[in-house]
Amino acid sequence: MFSKLNFRVILSALLILLGLIIAAVPENTTKPYKLTSGQMLEEIKSGTQFVQPDQVADMLINKDPYLQLIDVRSPEEFDQFHLPGAINVPLDNILSDQWTDILDQDVKMNVLYSNGTTHSNEAWMLIRQLGYGNNYVLEGGLNYWVETIMNPASPVSTNPGDEFARYDFRKGAGMALGAGAVAPSQQEGTSSAPKPTIATKIKKKKVASGGCS
Amino acid sequence: MGPLIVNEIISQNTNLLLAFFIGIGFGFVLEQAGFSSSRKLAGMFYGYDATVLKVFFTGAITAALGLLFFSLFGWIEMDYVFVNPTYLGSTIVGGIVMGLGFILGGFCPGTSFCGAAIGKIDALVFVGGLFIGIFIFAEGFPLWQNLYLSGFMGDITISKALNISPGLFVFLLILVAVGMFWVAEWAEKKFPREEY
Amino acid sequence: METNFQQVRKTRYMNPYVAGVLLGLVVLAANFIAGRGVGASGAVKSTIVAAVETIAPQHAANATFYKDYGESHGGNPLNSWLVYQMLGVLVGAFLSGIIAHRMKWKVEHSPKITSKRRLIFALMGGILFGFGSQLGRGCTSGSALSGMAVLSLQGFISMAAIFGTAFTFAYFFRKNWI
């Protein structure tokens, strides 16, 4: 085939050429997964970005370290009331560099919320389009949260059993998270509470393991 | 698309089967390159045989370039690829211990298995030593646990540490490697050598 | 002088640059398929953990190292990616040895030293390398080669430390090799 010297010269030239190309390519295009508008539409249609209040309440009570609540309302509203452990990233400057580390990460499960879902969903679309993963939207926003977790409506007696279990859970969760007083016995409902019925796909960090470990 | 296993394109069992085939390729190439011979490997450190340098750097550069191009074409999501975490203290001390082991034993773990596979008894003894060494490490783990965890810097890449783009870094690495190849060819002509 | 039977039958080694490119493609394939590079010492570790768990389950349940391994991996230690990969390495090297007519039981050493001395040094080297590979989280394959392929800082430090040390101490052990 080639003599030894020839192969080395050809290989060196080829490597330098390829190296030049890869060095010249702007770095951001080497990030493979900014979403196209088509992909965005698919995600929005499937609605997988929504997380149910029950699931968030469950994670809050269990102090799940993966949960990171993000309040996208204004600082004033945030100061008035916010969910436990939430951080304030106002929608107005969500694209500022100071939030990149929080929003663009693949360890925690970020749950965005606002009063309704309009602002939180807008925030989610913006950062999702940048390719950031692991960001979710609290279904129904704070209004729905107060309705379901803080003041759950007791189910009608004809409802199936899991409705009661869910009611117990919400009642207990609401108490644990600072709503009105509830009899202590009912708090035990949390342990027997069913997992939220709507399965939200939670992507935890899924990097392959490797090295010699 | 890639990595296939992370994106659930192939099953766990297929992954293990493919690991076997990747191993065959790995072992075959190492043996073909002459890495089953300790004197050829050690020759690196006396200038009479620079095969290790040539194969090692060509391999690392080919893989690094390949990964960057794959990622450029969207064939692999680098965020899902394992990046060895950097623990400065243990990496340096561990590297020094390994370097001593290299010059004494003439093999590294991968090459010793290749040597053993074609009947080199010294390689087989080296493999035995590996078992003893790792067993000692495991048994005395609490003694060096602090060192093992020292200097943690996260899954940092060298391009990020130097604050340049990965592409530029690989290009510089290629220039350095090509320069070293020329020096190596010169050294091999200068120092006497024979095939083992 | 190179006309004896053994020399004629022996196939020459592959061009190192060709071998390097092929090696790089193997590492690339490993990353593309499994999201990780190749390795070697990890397979030995898995074997040891499996052996200890079988022989002394009590000890394996208490000692930190084995406990950590069990927690981070789970399942049978032998059912791991690296173990299958290392079995492949043995087969691959064996096939290459057959094709190149290099299958032969022998102790390779410099004519200046005895086989016994070579074997003692091989054992010491193996022990050191085994120990160092665990401390440094991987050997030349898993840490240096695969680490450099993904541009991990650790891979480059590890490579520099291994080869730098070997170069530094080469002078004291020259009799063993040349």
Side-chain angles (χ1 to χ4, degrees), chain B residues 9-51:
Chain B
I9 292 168
I10 53 171
S11 73
Q12 268 309 330
N13 286 336
T14 316
N15 189 27
L16 294 179
L17 180 70
L18 289 174
F20 181 68
F21 287 114
I22 286 171
I24 290 181
F26 190 37
F28 189 86
V29 172
L30 287 182
E31 210 290 325
Q32 280 291 306
F35 281 14
S36 54
S37 157
S38 55
R39 289 189 77 194
K40 199 169 174 64
L41 290 165
M44 173 73 236
F45 305 111
Y46 301 98
Y48 65 79
D49 191 327
T51 308

Side-chain angles (χ1 to χ4, degrees), chain B residues 5-168:
Chain B
I5 183 66
V6 180
N7 289 330
E8 287 160 3
I9 292 168
I10 53 171
S11 73
Q12 268 309 330
N13 286 336
T14 316
N15 189 27
L16 294 179
L17 180 70
L18 289 174
F20 181 68
F21 287 114
I22 286 171
I24 290 181
F26 190 37
F28 189 86
V29 172
L30 287 182
E31 210 290 325
Q32 280 291 306
F35 281 14
S36 54
S37 157
S38 55
R39 289 189 77 194
K40 199 169 174 64
L41 290 165
M44 173 73 236
F45 305 111
Y46 301 98
Y48 65 79
D49 191 327
T51 308
V52 174
L53 177 116
K54 298 178 205 165
V55 176
F56 189 84
F57 272 88
T58 313
I61 286 173
T62 306
L65 259 183
L67 283 174
L68 285 184
F69 274 102
F70 270 39
S71 138
L72 181 67
F73 302 147
W75 296 347
I76 192 168
E77 292 171 43
M78 285 309 286
D79 279 19
Y80 293 156
V81 169
F82 176 80
V83 173
N84 312 48
T86 301
Y87 292 79
L88 207 53
S90 54
T91 304
I92 292 175
V93 179
I96 290 173
V97 176
M98 284 191 269
L100 269 176
F102 206 159
I103 199 67
L104 286 176
F107 286 110
C108 62
T111 53
S112 68
F113 277 92
C114 291
I118 65 156
K120 296 273 168 69
I121 296 163
D122 44 337
L124 207 57
V125 171
F126 187 95
V127 171
L130 284 179
F131 275 88
I132 299 172
I134 296 180
F135 186 66
I136 293 174
F137 183 88
E139 287 300 317
F141 186 63
L143 294 175
W144 26 78
Q145 192 167 14
N146 283 338
L147 177 61
Y148 182 68
L149 298 173
S150 65
F152 179 62
M153 297 169 72
D155 300 352
I156 190 173
T157 60
I158 190 164
S159 46
K160 204 176 261 174
L162 297 174
N163 204 15
I164 56 177
S165 81
L168 180 60

Side-chain angles (χ1 to χ4, degrees), chain A residues 86-107:
Chain A
I87 46 175
N88 188 210
V89 180
L91 182 58
D92 295 348
N93 65 354
I94 195 163
L95 297 179
S96 143
D97 281 343
Q98 59 177 313
W99 308 119
T100 316
D101 288 344
I102 296 168
L103 300 173
D104 183 18
Q105 46 82 48
D106 45 13
V107 179

Side-chain angles (χ1 to χ4, degrees), chain C residues 148-160:
Chain C
M148 282 168 71
V150 293
L151 303 184
S152 155
L153 178 64
Q154 194 251 12
F156 285 86
I157 296 174
S158 166
M159 183 270 299

